[in-house]
mmCIF file of all heavy atoms in Angstrom:
data_model
loop_
_atom_site.group_PDB
_atom_site.id
_atom_site.type_symbol
_atom_site.label_atom_id
_atom_site.label_comp_id
_atom_site.label_asym_id
_atom_site.label_seq_id
_atom_site.Cartn_x
_atom_site.Cartn_y
_atom_site.Cartn_z
ATOM 1 N N ASP A 271 128.599 95.949 77.039
ATOM 2 C CA ASP A 271 127.169 95.793 77.165
ATOM 3 C C ASP A 271 126.926 94.868 78.327
ATOM 4 O O ASP A 271 125.724 94.687 78.684
ATOM 5 C CB ASP A 271 126.581 95.186 75.911
ATOM 6 C CG ASP A 271 126.657 96.368 74.785
ATOM 7 O OD1 ASP A 271 126.504 97.556 75.075
ATOM 8 O OD2 ASP A 271 126.768 95.793 73.611
ATOM 9 N N ALA A 272 127.848 94.116 78.841
ATOM 10 C CA ALA A 272 127.685 93.198 79.926
ATOM 11 C C ALA A 272 128.996 93.265 80.865
ATOM 12 O O ALA A 272 129.801 92.438 80.882
ATOM 13 C CB ALA A 272 127.525 91.792 79.445
ATOM 14 N N PRO A 273 129.094 94.438 81.617
ATOM 15 C CA PRO A 273 130.391 94.653 82.303
ATOM 16 C C PRO A 273 130.514 93.860 83.583
ATOM 17 O O PRO A 273 131.695 93.731 84.127
ATOM 18 C CB PRO A 273 130.260 96.089 82.702
ATOM 19 C CG PRO A 273 128.770 96.344 82.821
ATOM 20 C CD PRO A 273 128.086 95.489 81.733
ATOM 21 N N TRP A 274 129.498 92.989 84.036
ATOM 22 C CA TRP A 274 129.612 92.324 85.311
ATOM 23 C C TRP A 274 130.810 91.344 85.192
ATOM 24 O O TRP A 274 131.148 90.662 84.172
ATOM 25 C CB TRP A 274 128.352 91.555 85.570
ATOM 26 C CG TRP A 274 128.408 90.634 86.740
ATOM 27 C CD1 TRP A 274 128.091 90.918 88.068
ATOM 28 C CD2 TRP A 274 128.727 89.221 86.750
ATOM 29 N NE1 TRP A 274 128.268 89.974 88.876
ATOM 30 C CE2 TRP A 274 128.711 88.769 88.215
ATOM 31 C CE3 TRP A 274 129.178 88.313 85.845
ATOM 32 C CZ2 TRP A 274 128.885 87.484 88.569
ATOM 33 C CZ3 TRP A 274 129.530 87.029 86.240
ATOM 34 C CH2 TRP A 274 129.208 86.642 87.574
ATOM 35 N N VAL A 275 131.609 91.186 86.339
ATOM 36 C CA VAL A 275 132.548 90.208 86.467
ATOM 37 C C VAL A 275 132.352 89.443 87.821
ATOM 38 O O VAL A 275 131.654 89.956 88.594
ATOM 39 C CB VAL A 275 133.997 90.790 86.401
ATOM 40 C CG1 VAL A 275 134.509 91.335 85.219
ATOM 41 C CG2 VAL A 275 134.166 91.868 87.548
ATOM 42 N N SER A 276 132.883 88.284 87.860
ATOM 43 C CA SER A 276 132.394 87.369 88.957
ATOM 44 C C SER A 276 133.217 87.642 90.305
ATOM 45 O O SER A 276 132.780 86.968 91.256
ATOM 46 C CB SER A 276 132.681 85.868 88.622
ATOM 47 O OG SER A 276 134.116 85.673 88.406
ATOM 48 N N GLU A 277 134.130 88.472 90.361
ATOM 49 C CA GLU A 277 134.765 88.724 91.608
ATOM 50 C C GLU A 277 135.453 90.122 91.512
ATOM 51 O O GLU A 277 135.784 90.577 90.319
ATOM 52 C CB GLU A 277 135.753 87.617 91.933
ATOM 53 C CG GLU A 277 136.740 87.285 90.903
ATOM 54 C CD GLU A 277 137.270 85.872 91.143
ATOM 55 O OE1 GLU A 277 136.857 85.227 91.969
ATOM 56 O OE2 GLU A 277 138.218 85.508 90.402
ATOM 57 N N CYS A 278 135.897 90.701 92.542
ATOM 58 C CA CYS A 278 136.450 92.113 92.625
ATOM 59 C C CYS A 278 137.505 92.103 93.625
ATOM 60 O O CYS A 278 137.233 92.014 94.890
ATOM 61 C CB CYS A 278 135.393 93.107 92.904
ATOM 62 S SG CYS A 278 135.989 94.722 93.154
ATOM 63 N N TYR A 279 138.702 92.163 93.220
ATOM 64 C CA TYR A 279 139.901 92.272 94.172
ATOM 65 C C TYR A 279 140.480 93.655 93.865
ATOM 66 O O TYR A 279 140.766 94.002 92.742
ATOM 67 C CB TYR A 279 140.849 91.180 93.915
ATOM 68 C CG TYR A 279 140.471 89.847 94.362
ATOM 69 C CD1 TYR A 279 140.088 88.812 93.465
ATOM 70 C CD2 TYR A 279 140.240 89.523 95.766
ATOM 71 C CE1 TYR A 279 139.681 87.595 93.857
ATOM 72 C CE2 TYR A 279 139.906 88.222 96.101
ATOM 73 C CZ TYR A 279 139.591 87.308 95.159
ATOM 74 O OH TYR A 279 139.124 86.029 95.672
ATOM 75 N N GLY A 280 140.948 94.292 94.941
ATOM 76 C CA GLY A 280 141.704 95.596 94.884
ATOM 77 C C GLY A 280 143.003 95.413 95.392
ATOM 78 O O GLY A 280 143.456 94.446 96.205
ATOM 79 N N ASN A 281 143.990 96.243 94.987
ATOM 80 C CA ASN A 281 145.442 96.144 95.582
ATOM 81 C C ASN A 281 145.585 97.084 96.731
ATOM 82 O O ASN A 281 146.679 97.026 97.359
ATOM 83 C CB ASN A 281 146.363 96.525 94.466
ATOM 84 C CG ASN A 281 146.161 98.097 93.868
ATOM 85 O OD1 ASN A 281 145.140 98.567 93.994
ATOM 86 N ND2 ASN A 281 147.097 98.567 93.189
ATOM 87 N N ALA A 282 144.533 97.918 96.991
ATOM 88 C CA ALA A 282 144.697 98.896 98.168
ATOM 89 C C ALA A 282 143.890 98.299 99.323
ATOM 90 O O ALA A 282 142.713 98.129 99.181
ATOM 91 C CB ALA A 282 144.241 100.195 97.810
ATOM 92 N N MET A 283 144.550 97.919 100.446
ATOM 93 C CA MET A 283 143.780 97.460 101.706
ATOM 94 C C MET A 283 143.422 98.587 102.620
ATOM 95 O O MET A 283 144.411 99.256 103.081
ATOM 96 C CB MET A 283 144.677 96.487 102.441
ATOM 97 C CG MET A 283 145.424 95.331 101.513
ATOM 98 S SD MET A 283 144.054 94.329 100.888
ATOM 99 C CE MET A 283 145.084 93.410 99.774
ATOM 100 N N LEU A 284 142.166 98.875 102.777
ATOM 101 C CA LEU A 284 141.799 100.049 103.688
ATOM 102 C C LEU A 284 141.375 99.461 105.042
ATOM 103 O O LEU A 284 140.766 98.469 105.111
ATOM 104 C CB LEU A 284 140.668 100.804 102.961
ATOM 105 C CG LEU A 284 141.218 101.704 101.756
ATOM 106 C CD1 LEU A 284 141.141 100.927 100.440
ATOM 107 C CD2 LEU A 284 140.355 102.980 101.637
ATOM 108 N N CYS A 285 141.493 100.371 106.022
ATOM 109 C CA CYS A 285 140.993 100.012 107.311
ATOM 110 C C CYS A 285 140.258 101.469 107.772
ATOM 111 O O CYS A 285 140.872 102.430 107.870
ATOM 112 C CB CYS A 285 142.118 99.687 108.361
ATOM 113 S SG CYS A 285 141.589 99.305 109.940
ATOM 114 N N ASN A 286 138.992 101.295 108.074
ATOM 115 C CA ASN A 286 138.137 102.428 108.483
ATOM 116 C C ASN A 286 138.338 103.614 107.580
ATOM 117 O O ASN A 286 138.309 104.759 107.929
ATOM 118 C CB ASN A 286 138.572 102.897 109.954
ATOM 119 C CG ASN A 286 138.166 101.836 110.981
ATOM 120 O OD1 ASN A 286 137.704 100.794 110.528
ATOM 121 N ND2 ASN A 286 138.317 102.230 112.258
#
Side-chain angles (χ1 to χ4, degrees):
D271 295 325
W274 177 88
V275 292
S276 68
E277 51 201 9
C278 172
Y279 289 108
N281 61 342
M283 311 291 170
L284 286 90
C285 181
N286 289 7

